[in-house]
Amino acid sequence: LSKSDTINTNKNKTDLSDTDPSIYPAVRPPEDRPPTAADTMDTIRAYREILKENIEYDTLIQSARLGEKEYIDEIVELLVETISAKRDTLSIGGAEYPYQFVKNKLLKVESSHIQYLLECLHDNTTKIHNVRAYLLACIFNAPSTINNYYRAEVNHDMYGGGNL
């Protein structure tokens, strides 16, 4: 080989920091990239599974009255939609609450709260103009009102002229 055929390392660009950016586009780490539609759908599916587990969905469906499965499914979807909505605040029953507070409270809903809501709906005879808002307010308030509701029912049945 002649001297001109040898590799001259002084003329070759071997430093990786001196690369052409059009060849190696910058790749953002996963935590810096905006969520994709697939990420959002995965999150929604995860919340649906968490809620179904919290309310013991399968057991609740088996013990439900005829036709109540559809109501339970609608309640689950309402909970999933509300928890998945990214906002600073949510309006429930005419009051503004921090989103994180509402989310935490709804993630604590159990089967007894759903049964309580179904019972209240079954006994209700008044016109409901905004069913979604009514259901959301009822389920949001269920953990705070369920014990007093059943106490009032017992008092009514035992002392208020209810049929035994």
Side-chain angles (χ1 to χ4, degrees), residues 108-118 139 142-144 146:
K108 293 178 184 172
V109 169
E110 300 173 352
S111 61
S112 62
H113 301 127
I114 302 296
Q115 290 169 330
Y116 163 64
L117 175 59
L118 292 171
I139 200 67
S144 305
I146 191 170

Side-chain angles (χ1 to χ4, degrees), residues 49-60:
E49 290 307 311
I50 290 168
L51 286 164
K52 282 185 170 184
E53 184 178 315
N54 290 352
I55 66 169
E56 302 170 29
Y57 179 82
D58 294 331
T59 304
L60 191 60

Side-chain angles (χ1 to χ4, degrees), residues 15-16 41 48 109 140:
D15 186 8
L16 291 178
M41 292 308 296
R48 185 175 291 111
V109 169
F140 176 79

Side-chain angles (χ1 to χ4, degrees), residues 73-88:
D73 289 339
E74 287 179 11
I75 292 166
V76 168
E77 288 309 306
L78 175 61
L79 291 170
V80 170
E81 290 169 14
T82 305
I83 289 170
S84 300
K86 301 285 188 211
R87 299 182 187 147
D88 292 334

Side-chain angles (χ1 to χ4, degrees), residues 21 23-33:
I23 297 173
Y24 301 101
V27 177
R28 286 194 257 175
E31 63 274 0
D32 289 344
R33 66 177 172 78

